[in-house]
Amino acid sequence: MVHYQAIVHGRVQGVGFRYFTQQEALKHNIKGTVRNLENGSVKIDAEGSREDMSAFIQAVKKGPMFSKVTDVELYELEETKQYTSFSIVY
């Protein structure tokens, strides 16, 4: 089990990015949260197997159709939070 925090930059608000992220998390068995940040980026807190996480991060870097991801800051964290689902935080 790995725990990553990602800050996604670009055109990622107002384009369905959080919903897309939640759908990809479900597809790849990832647990955690996604939320918009005040600076226009999106923060993802995610846990899963290393293999599933790799596929999930690749999908996030691509984003949904109307988004334009310019950068993803990725941090591997030591501690896991033991999430039971993946949710959008408002």
Side-chain angles (χ1 to χ4, degrees):
M1 175 79 70
V2 293
H3 181 190
Y4 280 96
Q5 187 175 85
I7 308 296
V8 186
H9 300 275
R11 187 172 60 233
V12 292
Q13 289 190 13
V15 293
F17 194 87
R18 288 176 299 168
Y19 177 76
F20 168 84
T21 301
Q22 184 181 46
Q23 295 307 304
E24 289 297 320
L26 293 171
K27 191 186 304 182
H28 297 290
N29 199 32
I30 299 296
K31 312 293 186 213
T33 62
V34 61
R35 73 175 69 214
N36 284 344
L37 297 177
E38 288 183 17
N39 67 1
S41 59
V42 170
K43 179 180 178 184
I44 302 169
D45 200 34
E47 297 178 345
S49 74
R50 192 166 295 281
E51 185 177 299
D52 288 340
M53 188 66 71
S54 178
F56 172 69
I57 295 299
Q58 288 307 311
V60 165
K61 286 180 177 179
K62 191 173 179 184
M65 185 187 322
F66 296 110
S67 72
K68 181 169 175 40
V69 175
T70 58
D71 187 34
V72 177
E73 296 175 49
L74 197 58
Y75 307 97
E76 186 169 356
L77 306 176
E78 296 279 327
E79 217 172 278
T80 61
K81 293 191 177 179
Q82 303 299 319
Y83 289 110
T84 58
S85 64
F86 194 94
S87 58
I88 297 171
V89 178
Y90 295 97

